[in-house]
């Protein structure tokens, strides 16, 4: 942070890419008035409202739950609404789009690959038999809930994919969030066909690609541990392979 | 260097070539829109259904709901109790037939959501847990920690993926409803990725675009809550009902407006003034912290006005104290609140009370619909916070809104499906083509290419300050008429505003300009409806008309668009079994 004419300011160096204006990306520097309680997103909004209306990024909830606002902040994937300027005190802050995704414009990346993977893992309860609604809810004890709860906390913010070196090399890799969500359903007592998801998580681009770097679990802003989900799915898969194949499958 | 995605730079203005069509088109992928899509898909798996949404569905603001969703599921509870609490909470402005339908559908919708996988918190016997909530006479609010909205939204979204007949247009922004021969026939929408406008035709359209909190500066609402669907319907000729009924929630963080959930009080939290008193004993002795939001917000304002608040850099505040609940309860049931208080207010609620003040949270009013979501324009339906059936009247009870999204989302989806099954597909001939071309001219020539005008952010900021100051918790004739004049001025200035970003690809500034244009229309209906309701009822508090006046105002305000301005008419409130009485708690 520096003081310009008495006002403390922060300097942001922002990755820009405007395909209609310039074919190559560039870096643009902005100075914004600094307050101790400002998050990076506040600084971006200040720029957009007062300095440069062309700067483009996604956001909505500004409370770390909608998953829109991920970016690489000073080289680390972060939610811009949950990383404070004071964490970078004394530095210029480098803001770039999340790594490992194609950039559409400025900080806006294309996440269609994840959306397809999400669809692929069948993220819904599969029942062999439906219970009529009149019978009420499926009973589930607090312990049974606990078995999958943390994996249901994924906000799809894509920070884990930006941090994953395997995904960086091979975009076919199912990746952390999709595996965590697959495991979330596999471990849910209400689901009756866990095996339906095994082909996706166990095919050659599934969990076996993961080399346990563990960056995904480090960067997750919601305390999800995708690496643990990957481990658990590997174990399930290994025991599953030993079972005789079922007829008709 | 991140990899860039080339090949998007096209879509420079030209005639609308692309015309897409579906049996049912749902605008908005929040709780209400997703529920509508599933209902339609289940009603008839042959129907071709599409959801168009300006954000990916899982980013919708339903995601931020914390406290829970109401449904009378326990043996000690009853539909009548839920209905009466809701009607009394509404200060008798709710339509009682709608409320009766609503409460009777809530339990079923809750079980459905559970069957679809929502990770509800559980009692030791495996049933869904319930907690107390403001204005509810018994514990009936089902919850999932303090992230019910997040879990509900992701559960619904992931459930839509299993239906092959539900298609999506993610990050498409609807700009107008196409109406042909009095029937809704689709929308014009911008594909934000390319910047191209298309018409998406449909036999039936369901609007579920959420609330309009961003009209105010100090709000719990996310950036996307700009009242688009209200403006779309209003411009298409549907009246907006009870728009003056805006909810101010008592416990927002003073700086950011981030919500400290009512579940904190549901679990036993206190509101405290500077003298260390639980001041609600003066206002709500029978309910204390479990009173309805309108009364608690006003009580806080009175405490502050009378010098019993605290002063801070972001205005006056009171304290929300949950220390006595203990670390264990806080970690188990209010962990999101703890995370938010720590991160955004620097306060650990296990050890310190949290500064809070009231701010905009929800709008009871909205697009006039009946119990099936029907708006009065054939083929056009609405549901969720955007709609006004009305079950919320002059004050919504916390946790009724999410179940409202489910109940009326489902009803609208089903009604739209039945309607679509009887209709043939509109096609983009005349006059629709002409209407769509006009819309393209408005967006690209009048907004995108207009040069030399002022920034939209200054207009937005002045609108928000006007609403906070003159159309906030307390209102009077003078302030309200000033607000109507100010909004008219801002609308004029808006016609002359310019965006700096002239790109087609993902032009968020253009989208913001179009949203602001919607918000100004919606703000104007709020200010006018508030001006003409010369009484105090529920959340609508007039300092110059302090009493409820059933003789004159036991009726709904209906704002019709007339030469670009609201014309306010009134329609009767449906009373079935509960005669209006004094609302004391
Ligand atoms: C912080 C917070 C906490 C809350 N807690 C609770 C609670 O505990 N219990 C409760 O019952 N209620 C709660 N509420 C209220 C409740 O969450 C909302 O009323 C409800 O979620 C609204 O859902 P919706 O589907 O109507 O709209 P939203 O979830 O806001 O969805 C709107 C959708 O429409 C799309 N959209 C909007 N405009 C356009 C356009 N022009 N073109 C295309 N798409 C568009 C958006 O992208 C989005 O997908 C809370 C609200 C807030 C803000
Ligand atoms: S804006 Fe929603 S997570 Fe940051």
């Amino acid at each position: 942070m520096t003081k310009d004419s008495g006002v403390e300011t922060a300097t942001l160096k922002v990755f820009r890419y405007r395909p209609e204006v310039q074919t190559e990306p560039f870096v643009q520097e902005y100075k914004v008035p600094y307050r101790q309680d400002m998050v990076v997103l506040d600084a971006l909004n200040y720029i957009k409202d007062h300095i440069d209306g062309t700067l483009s990024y996604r956001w909505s909830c500004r409370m770390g739950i909608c998953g829109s606002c991920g970016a690489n902040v000073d080289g680390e994937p972060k939610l811009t609404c949950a990383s404070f300027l004071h964490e970078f005190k004394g530095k210029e802050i480098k803001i770039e789009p999340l790594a490992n995704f194609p950039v559409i414009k400025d900080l806006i990346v294309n996440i269609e690959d994840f959306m397809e993977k999400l669809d692929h893992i069948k993220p819904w309860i599969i029942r062999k038999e439906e219970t009529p609604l009149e019978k009420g809810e499926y009973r589930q004890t607090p312990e049974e809930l606990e078995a999958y709860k943390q994996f249901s906390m994924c906000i799809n913010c894509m920070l884990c994919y930006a941090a994953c070196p395997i995904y960086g090399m091979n975009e076919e890799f199912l990746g952390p969030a999709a595996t965590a969500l697959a495991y979330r359903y596999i471990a849910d007592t209400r689901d009756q066909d866990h095996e339906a998801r095994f082909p996706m998580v166990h095919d050659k681009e599934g969990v076996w690609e993961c080399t346990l770097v563990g960056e995904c679990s480090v960067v997750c802003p919601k305390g999800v541990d995708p690496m643990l989900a990957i481990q658990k799915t590997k174990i399930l898969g290994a025991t599953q392979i030993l079972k005789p194949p079922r007829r008709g499958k | 260097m991140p990899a860039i995605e080339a090949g998007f730079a096209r879509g420079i203005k030209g005639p609308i070539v692309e015309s897409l069509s579906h049996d049912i088109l749902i605008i908005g992928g929040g709780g209400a829109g997703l529920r509508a899509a599933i209902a339609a898909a289940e009603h008839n798996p042959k129907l071709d259904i599409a959801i168009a949404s300006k954000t990916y569905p899982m980013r919708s603001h339903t995601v931020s709901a914390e406290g829970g969703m109401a449904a009378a599921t326990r043996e000690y509870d009853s539909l009548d109790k839920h209905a009466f609490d809701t009607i009394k909470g509404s200060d008798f402005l709710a339509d009682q037939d709608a409320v009766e339908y609503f409460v009777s559908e809530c339990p079923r919708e809750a079980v459905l959501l559970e069957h679809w996988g929502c990770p509800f918190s559980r009692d030791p016997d495996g049933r869904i847990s319930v907690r107390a909530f403001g204005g509810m006479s018994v514990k009936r609010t089902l919850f999932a920690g303090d992230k019910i909205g997040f879990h509900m939204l992701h559960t619904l979204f992931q459930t839509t993926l299993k239906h092959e007949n539900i298609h999506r247009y993610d990050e498409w922004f609807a700009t107008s409803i196409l109406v042909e021969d009095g029937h809704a026939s689709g929308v014009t929408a911008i594909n934000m990725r390319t910047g191209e406008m298309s018409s998406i035709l449909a036999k039936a359209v369901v609007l579920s675009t959420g609330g309009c909190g961003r009209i105010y500066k100090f709000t719990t609402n996310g950036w996307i809550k700009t009242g688009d669907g209200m403006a779309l319907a209003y411009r298409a000729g549907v009246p907006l009902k009870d728009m003056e009924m805006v909810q101010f929630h008592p416990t927002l963080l003073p700086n950011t407006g981030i919500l400290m959930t009512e579940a904190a009080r549901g679990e036993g939290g206190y509101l405290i003034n500077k003298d260390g008193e639980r001041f609600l004993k003066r206002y709500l002795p029978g309910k204390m912290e479990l009173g309805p939001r309108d009364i608690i917000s006003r009580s806080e304002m009175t405490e502050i006005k009378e010098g019993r608040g605290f002063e801070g850099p972001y205005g006056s505040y009171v304290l929300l104290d949950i220390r006595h609940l203990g670390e264990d309860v806080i970690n188990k049931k209010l962990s999101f609140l703890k995370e938010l208080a720590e991160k955004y207010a620097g306060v650990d609620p296990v050890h310190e009370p949290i500064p809070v003040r009231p701010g905009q949270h929800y709008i009871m009013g909205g697009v006039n619909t009946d119990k099936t979501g029907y708006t009065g324009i054939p083929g056009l339906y609405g549901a969720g916070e955007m709609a006004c059936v009305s079950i919320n009247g002059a004050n919504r009870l916390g946790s009724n809104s999410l179940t409202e999204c489910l109940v009326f989302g489902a009803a609208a989806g089903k009604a739209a499906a039945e309607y679509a099954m009887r209709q043939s597909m509109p096609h983009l001939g005349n006059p629709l083509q002409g209407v769509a071309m006009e819309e393209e001219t408005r967006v690209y020539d009048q907004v995108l290419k207009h040069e030399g005008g002022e920034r939209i952010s200054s207009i937005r900021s002045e609108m928000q300050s006007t609403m906070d100051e003159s159309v906030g918790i307390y209102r009077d004739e003078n302030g309200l008429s000033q607000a109507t004049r100010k909004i008219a001025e801002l609308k004029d200035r808006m016609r002359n505003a310019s965006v700096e970003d002239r790109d087609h690809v993902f032009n968020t500034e253009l989208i913001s300009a179009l949203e602001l244009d919607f918000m100004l229309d919606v703000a104007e209906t709020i200010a006018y409806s508030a001006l003409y309701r010369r009484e105090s009822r529920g959340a609508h508090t007039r300092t110059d008309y302090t009493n409820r006046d059933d003789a004159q105002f036991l009726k709904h305000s209906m704002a019709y668009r007339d030469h670009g301005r609201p014309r306010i008419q009134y329609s009767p409130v449906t009373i079935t079994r509960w005669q209006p009485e004094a609302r004391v708690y």
Side-chain angles (χ1 to χ4, degrees):
Chain A
M1 314 300 137
T2 52
K3 285 208 170 183
D4 278 7
S5 60
V7 185
E8 216 178 339
T9 60
T11 306
L12 276 72
K13 290 202 151 174
V14 187
F15 171 100
R16 303 292 315 269
Y17 173 57
R18 298 179 64 191
E20 286 158 274
V21 176
Q22 196 172 322
T23 50
E24 287 304 311
F26 55 100
V27 173
Q28 194 158 353
E29 188 178 300
Y30 300 98
K31 280 192 192 324
V32 300
Y34 167 83
R35 273 194 342 257
Q36 170 77 14
D37 55 9
M38 264 170 96
V39 291
V40 171
L41 177 63
D42 294 330
L44 295 175
N45 284 338
Y46 183 89
I47 297 167
K48 180 111 187 149
D49 284 352
H50 301 283
I51 305 174
D52 184 352
T54 69
L55 182 64
S56 307
Y57 48 94
R58 293 186 179 106
W59 72 288
S60 174
C61 73
R62 56 78 172 91
M63 56 195 273
I65 193 74
C66 77
S68 307
C69 70
N72 269 27
V73 179
D74 208 30
E76 297 278 324
K78 298 251 164 131
L79 298 178
T80 58
C81 73
S83 58
F84 283 81
L85 292 187
H86 66 72
E87 292 166 23
F88 309 96
K89 203 147 182 144
K91 284 195 208 166
E92 290 173 347
I93 310 170
K94 211 162 74 181
I95 317 278
E96 295 168 302
L98 287 177
N100 300 338
F101 293 94
V103 180
I104 298 172
K105 181 178 183 180
D106 294 349
L107 304 177
I108 298 170
V109 296
N110 186 336
I111 64 164
E112 282 303 311
D113 180 50
F114 170 75
M115 298 305 285
E116 277 167 33
K117 285 175 175 153
L118 179 66
D119 200 359
H120 200 58
I121 53 124
K122 302 188 197 267
W124 54 82
I125 296 282
I126 305 172
R127 297 288 295 183
K128 293 195 168 140
E129 58 194 272
E130 294 287 346
T131 312
L133 294 181
E134 299 71 55
K135 296 230 162 113
E137 71 262 56
Y138 300 132
R139 298 288 175 109
Q140 188 167 62
T141 64
E143 296 70 36
E144 288 168 338
L145 168 67
E146 212 48 47
Y148 71 90
K149 189 172 145 206
Q150 69 134 316
F151 304 108
S152 73
M153 294 292 180
C154 169
I155 62 172
N156 302 178
C157 65
M158 302 293 103
L159 303 198
C160 56
Y161 283 82
C164 174
I166 310 296
Y167 185 64
M169 287 183 304
N170 174 11
E171 67 165 37
E172 299 291 305
F173 174 44
L174 186 57
T179 312
L181 284 162
Y183 184 74
R184 170 249 176 279
Y185 283 97
I186 291 172
D188 190 323
T189 49
R190 294 168 291 184
D191 191 88
Q192 294 179 327
D193 193 3
H194 309 342
E195 289 153 46
R197 298 182 191 86
F198 282 2
M200 295 67 137
V201 289
H202 287 294
D203 79 2
K204 67 179 190 329
E205 314 293 358
V207 287
W208 302 102
E209 280 289 289
C210 171
T211 56
L212 304 183
V213 179
E215 274 302 306
C216 51
S217 304
V218 175
V219 299
C220 178
K222 296 288 117 179
V224 183
D225 186 351
M227 196 175 71
L228 180 66
I230 291 177
Q231 287 285 66
K232 285 183 178 261
T233 334
K234 280 183 177 172
I235 295 167
L236 273 179
T239 50
Q240 205 64 27
I241 289 160
L242 301 178
K243 275 197 199 164
R246 281 215 229 140
R247 288 206 312 156
K249 277 232 156 185
Chain B
M1 252 311 153
I4 53 174
E5 185 166 278
F8 278 111
R10 45 194 173 94
I12 314 303
K13 182 177 156 27
I16 297 183
V17 278
E18 202 177 5
S19 156
L20 308 155
S21 61
H22 300 275
D23 293 322
I24 299 175
L25 176 63
I26 295 163
I27 308 297
L34 295 170
R35 182 67 190 92
I38 299 170
E42 287 187 338
H43 191 68
N44 182 347
K46 290 209 184 82
L47 285 171
D48 169 5
I49 298 149
I51 304 171
S53 171
K54 68 181 176 181
T55 63
Y56 281 96
M58 70 277 185
R59 315 291 190 216
S60 306
H61 206 59
T62 293
V63 82
S64 69
E66 301 168 22
M69 49 181 270
T73 56
R74 293 291 167 114
E75 55 294 339
Y76 55 73
D77 204 354
S78 72
L79 299 182
D80 274 8
K81 279 188 195 157
H82 189 187
F84 180 68
D85 289 346
T86 302
I87 290 163
K88 182 175 175 187
S90 82
D91 218 347
F92 296 90
L93 194 65
D95 287 314
Q96 298 185 0
D97 57 336
V99 174
E100 290 191 61
Y101 173 73
F102 165 67
V103 298
S104 71
E105 287 294 306
C106 285
R108 190 187 130 82
E109 286 295 328
V111 172
L112 257 177
L113 190 67
E114 193 280 334
H115 279 199
W116 289 335
C118 185
F120 282 109
S121 295
R122 303 285 178 157
D123 284 358
D125 66 3
R127 288 188 300 172
I128 302 173
S129 301
V130 288
R131 64 164 44 122
F133 237 68
M136 301 283 185
S137 55
V138 298
K139 287 188 180 177
R140 69 162 69 94
T141 298
L142 313 172
F143 61 95
D146 56 354
K147 287 191 181 170
I148 182 66
F150 163 76
H151 287 302
M152 171 173 148
L153 186 68
H154 282 254
T155 302
L156 288 172
F157 175 55
Q158 291 171 7
T159 301
T160 61
L161 298 178
K162 99 181 160 192
H163 292 279
E164 291 193 350
N165 55 336
I166 301 179
H167 306 274
R168 287 205 326 275
Y169 294 86
D170 293 336
E171 303 192 314
W172 281 58
F173 180 86
T175 70
S176 74
I177 301 172
L178 293 168
V179 180
E180 186 175 36
D181 297 335
H183 290 248
S185 313
V187 303
T188 54
I190 299 172
N191 174 354
M192 292 164 64
R193 191 84 65 78
T194 63
E196 283 172 347
M197 186 182 279
S198 301
S199 6
I200 312 179
L201 302 182
K203 297 174 186 170
V205 176
V206 181
L207 297 172
S208 46
T209 56
C212 60
R214 285 277 158 173
I215 289 172
Y216 288 81
K217 192 158 274 170
F218 190 58
T219 174
T220 62
N221 284 196
W223 178 238
I224 59 170
K225 298 200 70 169
T226 50
D228 304 4
M230 296 174 185
L232 289 172
Y234 176 62
R235 291 175 185 188
V238 185
L240 301 184
K241 181 158 84 191
D242 295 334
M243 291 300 282
E244 66 276 34
M245 299 305 175
V246 177
Q247 179 160 78
F248 298 88
H249 193 294
T251 58
L252 279 61
L253 294 181
N255 171 10
T256 55
I258 289 173
L259 180 72
M260 295 289 102
T261 174
E262 187 167 300
R265 285 173 283 127
E267 295 294 339
Y270 300 149
L271 285 170
I272 306 283
N273 67 12
K274 200 174 69 178
D275 303 334
E277 276 180 310
R278 285 174 69 191
F279 56 85
L280 290 171
K281 66 185 179 198
R282 276 191 284 282
Y283 312 89
L284 284 159
K287 283 257 176 199
M288 295 299 286
E289 280 82 0
L290 292 178
R293 292 173 178 174
D294 53 342
I295 302 179
I296 297 187
S297 287
R298 282 194 294 269
S299 309
E300 289 180 3
M301 294 303 282
T302 306
E303 290 297 300
I304 288 169
K305 201 173 70 208
E306 294 179 356
R308 292 186 296 275
F310 299 82
E311 291 307 317
Y314 300 102
S316 312
Y317 62 88
V318 297
L319 294 175
L320 170 65
D321 192 352
I322 59 169
R323 287 174 296 182
H324 54 287
L325 303 183
E327 187 158 10
D328 198 41
V329 169
I330 295 174
N331 284 340
K332 274 211 185 85
K333 293 181 158 175
L334 299 167
S335 61
F336 191 35
L337 173 139
K338 180 171 190 281
E339 178 188 327
L340 292 170
E342 282 178 335
K343 191 166 275 162
Y344 296 100
V347 167
D348 176 356
V350 174
H351 301 293
E352 290 164 275
I354 312 162
V356 290
R357 67 182 175 106
Q360 197 283 343
H361 179 58
Y362 180 85
I363 181 155
M364 278 70 75
V367 176
N368 181 41
T369 70
D370 68 12
K371 283 177 290 192
T372 68
Y374 180 53
T375 62
I377 293 190
L380 188 63
Y381 300 81
E385 187 170 340
M386 184 216 67
C388 181
V389 186
S390 154
I391 64 155
N392 299 309
N395 175 64
R396 169 181 72 104
L397 294 189
S399 76
N400 264 351
S401 172
L402 291 176
T403 8
E404 175 179 9
C405 287
L406 296 175
V407 169
F408 294 104
K414 190 162 165 254
E418 274 170 11
Y419 180 82
M421 281 151 59
R422 299 193 303 268
Q423 294 296 310
S424 56
M425 190 66 81
H427 64 235
L428 197 62
N430 275 326
L432 275 191
Q433 174 93 25
V435 178
M437 299 276 281
E438 265 173 44
E439 181 61 4
E440 212 178 21
T441 305
R442 177 181 80 91
V443 168
Y444 294 107
D445 293 349
Q446 290 165 17
V447 186
L448 183 68
K449 290 191 187 147
H450 186 269
E451 292 201 35
E454 71 177 303
R455 271 181 196 281
I456 57 166
S457 57
S458 53
I459 299 176
R460 183 170 55 226
S461 171
E462 285 178 44
M463 170 190 70
Q464 292 171 331
S465 306
T466 304
M467 295 305 284
D468 276 11
E469 282 154 28
S470 307
V471 201
I473 298 180
Y474 293 111
R475 301 152 176 199
D476 63 24
E477 195 84 7
N478 206 356
L480 290 168
S481 42
Q482 258 171 29
T484 60
R485 284 194 297 277
K486 180 73 188 181
I487 296 165
E489 173 211 312
L490 293 172
K491 282 174 78 172
D492 275 344
R493 280 163 54 189
M494 187 63 204
R495 275 187 273 282
N496 204 24
S498 297
V499 294
E500 226 174 313
D501 191 345
R502 299 292 159 84
D503 299 353
H504 285 73
V505 174
F506 232 107
N507 190 329
T508 54
E509 199 189 11
L510 171 66
I511 299 297
S512 290
L514 298 171
E515 288 172 338
L516 178 56
D517 192 53
F518 286 152
M519 284 196 282
L520 286 165
D521 264 7
V522 175
E524 198 172 35
T525 65
I526 298 176
Y528 273 100
S529 306
L531 176 65
Y532 294 136
R533 185 177 285 277
R534 296 192 171 97
E535 65 158 353
S536 289
R537 180 187 297 271
H540 175 66
T541 314
R542 291 281 303 245
T543 53
D544 44 358
Y545 299 92
T546 52
N547 294 326
R548 192 175 87 193
D549 179 355
D550 287 342
Q552 285 205 66
F553 286 107
L554 184 59
K555 49 196 181 186
H556 298 296
S557 309
M558 304 289 261
Y560 290 84
R561 189 159 181 264
D562 190 352
H563 297 90
R565 284 271 180 86
R567 172 170 46 82
I568 308 297
Q569 290 178 203
Y570 293 92
S571 77
V573 171
T574 307
I575 308 278
T576 58
R577 292 192 279 144
W578 295 275
Q579 285 308 314
E581 55 181 56
R583 183 167 166 251
V584 274
Y585 289 99

